[in-house]
């Protein structure tokens, strides 16, 4: 720096240091205030905090036995009143109150999420408040949501779900309602109805089907990162067919020379897969054949995805195994030793149709799972499990929004169905 005439060298150095310090302080102040004012830097999450004030969720998720016992005692001794259908309808008629009280995130939050919209079908038949909480956890304005209300549901229930849907331009009831009966084609049919309804929205990347008794283990941002890492692969569970041939024995050969596969109706599939389901004559033929077999909903999607000769983009090109990775859903089974998601125990030891009803004691396990969603929850029995999962999801979403958290997608990129797919 050139000398300033008339000042001693020590004074010039002091003046130089003072100028540098003044500029540095000014830069720091601008970064701390100016950039925040302009919308840059870490941001405050502008939605109402999701928090269960009855229990300490962080301790429960960490596996604190004392807090777990306290939560179980509260659950045993204090009844928890659920909202009636009419109460949900009344809340939903005031949409602003609904969005605020249930902490709906009404922004895309990031450009990456905005550019990767998802399409959901949600099959529901009970507990409108639980459905409301599920929708709040997965809602983003760029996504699309088709809700199928079972034809058997009460009129008040349908009105409650319709009132919720009316609050959002991207949420709607399915164009047709089906009387769903386990083990019949009617379990698969609502998925096909919602697929057709969602097809009219042209921008979504992946289709995910849920029921009202499930809950996300990942934020929307995490889902987008995981599905991006899939690089178009479909996440459809299937097992080798020889153990389940009784379901289609005597029904004649499967059409178009496909090998039938047994798996799960719960999937995460790309738009090309849905296009094939809706518009291919091959798909129609397989649907008709599945309709006369046992438990067709567990045959249709797996058979499409695990017959690569059909040429469906993202379908699996290798032979399925019993321990095949499956990230679309986490379930704990009571007796199925071949389940890829099997763990030693179900914390509450409550099972319905061999599936564990997840509870507060399962929180440490659920916090570590790599799957996208978990099944299954009953609102009262799973009360603290659901509220703590919602709180954890909110906290991660907030930290992602502030730029403090990201997800490592490398484990998803190396999954067998990602590495072995029709491109």
């Amino acid at each position: 720096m050139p000398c300033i005439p008339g000042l001693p060298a020590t004074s010039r150095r002091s003046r130089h240091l003072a100028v540098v310090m003044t500029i540095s302080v000014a830069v720091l102040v601008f970064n701390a205030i100016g950039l925040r004012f302009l919308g840059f830097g870490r941001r405050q999450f502008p939605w109402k905090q999701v928090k269960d004030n009855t229990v300490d969720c962080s301790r429960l998720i960490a596996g604190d036995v004392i807090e777990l016992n306290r939560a179980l005692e509260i659950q045993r001794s204090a009844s928890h009143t659920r909202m009636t259908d009419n109460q949900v309808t009344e809340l939903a008629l005031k949409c602003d109150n609904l969005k605020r009280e249930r902490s709906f995130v009404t922004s895309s939050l990031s450009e990456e999420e905005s550019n990767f919209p998802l399409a959901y079908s949600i099959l529901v038949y009970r507990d409108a408040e639980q459905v409301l909480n599920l929708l709040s956890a997965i809602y983003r304005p760029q996504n699309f949501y088709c809700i199928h209300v079972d034809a058997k549901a009460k009129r008040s229930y349908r009105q409650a779900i319709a009132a919720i849907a009316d609050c959002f331009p991207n949420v709607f009831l399915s164009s047709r309602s089906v009387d769903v009966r386990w083990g019949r084609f009617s379990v698969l049919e609502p998925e096909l109805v919602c697929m057709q309804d969602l097809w009219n929205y042209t921008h979504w990347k992946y289709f995910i089907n849920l029921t009202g008794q499930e809950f996300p283990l990942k934020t929307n941002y995490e889902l987008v990162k995981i599905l991006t890492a899939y690089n178009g692969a479909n996440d459809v569970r299937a097992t080798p067919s020889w153990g389940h041939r009784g379901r289609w024995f005597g029904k004649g050969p499967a059409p178009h020379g496909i090998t039938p596969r047994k798996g799960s109706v719960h999937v995460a599939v790309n738009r090309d897969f849905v296009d094939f389901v809706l518009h291919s004559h091959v798909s129609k033929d397989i649907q008709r054949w599945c309709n006369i077999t046992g438990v067709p909903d567990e045959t249709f999607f797996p058979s499409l995805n695990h017959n690569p000769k059909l040429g469906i983009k993202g379908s699996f090109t290798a032979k399925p195994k019993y321990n095949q990775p499956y990230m679309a859903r986490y379930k704990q089974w009571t007796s199925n030793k071949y389940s890829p998601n099997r763990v030693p125990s179900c914390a509450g030891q409550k099972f319905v149709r061999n599936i564990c009803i997840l509870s507060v004691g399962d929180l440490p396990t659920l916090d570590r799972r790599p799957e996208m969603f978990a099944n299954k929850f009953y609102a009262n029995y799973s009360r603290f499990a659901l509220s703590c999962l919602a709180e954890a999801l909110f906290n991660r979403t907030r930290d992602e929004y502030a730029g403090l958290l990201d997800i490592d997608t490398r484990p998803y990129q190396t999954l067998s169905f990602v590495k072995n797919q029709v491109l």
Side-chain angles (χ1 to χ4, degrees):
M1 181 176 180
C3 294
I4 300 176
L7 285 177
T10 53
S11 298
R12 289 196 297 270
R13 284 196 295 270
S14 299
R15 178 69 61 86
H16 172 66
L17 181 59
V19 171
V20 170
M21 291 181 66
T22 301
I23 293 174
S24 298
V25 170
V27 169
L28 289 173
V29 171
F30 181 75
N31 284 338
I33 299 175
L35 292 181
R36 283 182 183 274
F37 177 77
L38 294 174
F40 296 95
R42 292 179 180 175
R43 299 164 289 181
Q44 295 296 314
F45 198 53
W47 282 276
K48 182 180 176 182
Q49 175 75 53
V50 175
K51 188 171 180 60
D52 192 317
N53 294 314
T54 313
V55 295
D56 188 330
C57 287
S58 61
R59 290 175 61 188
L60 289 172
I61 291 173
D64 187 295
V65 176
I66 296 175
E67 188 65 13
L68 171 60
N69 289 334
R70 193 175 78 85
L72 293 173
E73 180 58 32
I74 294 172
Q75 189 163 289
R76 282 191 296 266
S77 60
S79 60
H80 180 60
T81 303
R82 304 292 301 166
M83 293 180 70
T84 65
D85 294 341
N86 290 336
Q87 287 173 327
V88 171
T89 300
E90 184 179 350
L91 174 62
L93 290 177
K94 300 176 182 177
C95 290
D96 289 341
N97 291 347
L98 175 83
K99 295 172 184 177
R100 182 176 61 255
E101 290 185 18
R102 298 293 164 152
S103 299
F104 276 84
V105 177
T106 54
S107 165
S108 300
L109 295 185
S110 69
E111 184 177 358
E112 190 170 1
E113 292 172 86
S114 178
N115 293 333
F116 204 101
L118 306 175
Y120 287 92
S121 72
I122 311 174
L123 275 57
V124 303
Y125 72 99
R126 59 185 289 183
D127 203 321
E129 185 181 11
Q130 186 172 352
V131 175
L132 173 59
N133 292 337
L134 168 62
L135 182 62
S136 173
I138 62 174
Y139 181 81
R140 294 295 185 275
Q142 72 272 20
N143 297 338
F144 303 96
Y145 306 87
C146 173
I147 305 180
H148 175 275
V149 180
D150 196 307
K152 298 187 296 297
K154 296 185 298 182
R155 181 180 179 182
S156 62
Y157 181 80
R158 175 175 290 276
Q159 289 175 335
I161 301 301
I164 295 170
D166 284 345
C167 283
F168 305 94
N170 53 338
V171 181
F172 55 89
L173 298 193
S174 61
S175 58
R176 183 164 58 87
S177 290
V178 177
D179 181 355
V180 179
R181 304 285 179 174
W182 184 86
R184 302 182 185 178
F185 190 78
S186 59
V187 178
L188 176 64
E189 195 173 0
E191 308 290 4
L192 304 179
V193 172
C194 270
M195 280 182 166
Q196 185 65 65
D197 292 343
L198 288 161
W199 186 255
N200 298 322
Y201 300 89
T202 58
H203 303 300
W204 52 265
K205 306 291 186 181
Y206 266 80
F207 167 85
I208 300 172
N209 55 350
L210 302 174
T211 72
Q213 295 174 306
E214 298 177 303
F215 205 79
L217 300 180
K218 306 299 178 187
T219 67
N220 188 77
Y221 177 74
E222 289 172 321
L223 292 175
V224 166
K225 297 287 282 189
I226 291 168
L227 293 171
T228 300
Y230 280 7
N231 193 32
N234 299 313
D235 193 346
V236 182
R237 180 177 177 242
T239 58
S241 58
W242 58 264
H244 308 281
R245 286 178 293 183
R247 292 189 172 189
W248 42 80
F249 181 76
K251 307 303 181 183
H256 301 281
I258 69 163
T259 301
R261 301 293 187 191
K262 187 267 182 188
S264 175
V265 70
H266 298 127
V267 300
V269 294
N270 64 48
R271 191 175 175 89
D272 291 277
F273 185 96
V274 176
D275 187 14
F276 187 91
V277 168
L278 296 177
H279 305 124
S280 168
H281 74 279
V282 174
S283 168
K284 304 296 185 184
D285 292 342
I286 297 173
Q287 285 179 42
R288 284 190 285 269
W289 180 80
C290 285
N291 193 17
I292 63 172
T293 65
V295 198
D297 60 287
E298 294 184 356
T299 301
F300 181 62
F301 291 148
S303 296
L304 292 187
N305 195 65
H306 290 76
N307 278 274
K309 65 181 179 181
L310 297 177
I312 305 173
K313 182 181 177 181
S315 58
F316 191 51
T317 58
K319 291 184 177 180
K321 301 177 180 179
Y322 278 116
N323 62 349
Q324 193 73 35
Y326 172 59
M327 296 294 123
R329 202 70 82 253
Y330 170 70
K331 298 180 183 180
Q332 294 187 32
W333 297 88
T334 181
S335 59
N336 187 353
K337 65 181 180 180
Y338 299 116
S339 171
N341 297 329
R342 183 173 180 265
V343 296
S345 66
C346 169
Q349 290 298 298
K350 181 181 178 68
F351 293 89
V352 175
R353 292 199 181 99
N354 290 334
I355 296 178
C356 171
I357 307 303
L358 298 162
S359 63
V360 63
D362 294 301
L363 281 171
T365 297
L366 294 172
D367 185 59
R368 298 190 300 267
R369 296 304 304 185
E371 290 86 359
M372 293 183 272
F373 292 84
N375 177 298
K376 141 180 324 195
F377 299 92
Y378 284 176
N380 280 324
Y381 178 78
S382 310
R383 171 189 169 189
F384 292 127
L386 285 168
S387 64
C388 287
L389 285 174
E391 181 177 321
L393 205 69
F394 179 94
N395 291 340
R396 290 210 308 280
T397 302
R398 176 201 60 207
D399 292 345
E400 290 162 356
Y401 184 74
L404 302 175
L405 195 64
D406 210 332
I407 178 175
D408 181 6
T409 60
R410 288 173 296 181
Y412 297 95
Q413 294 170 359
T414 59
L415 293 168
S416 59
F417 64 82
V418 175
K419 294 191 297 182
N420 300 279
Q421 62 167 299
V422 174
L423 299 174

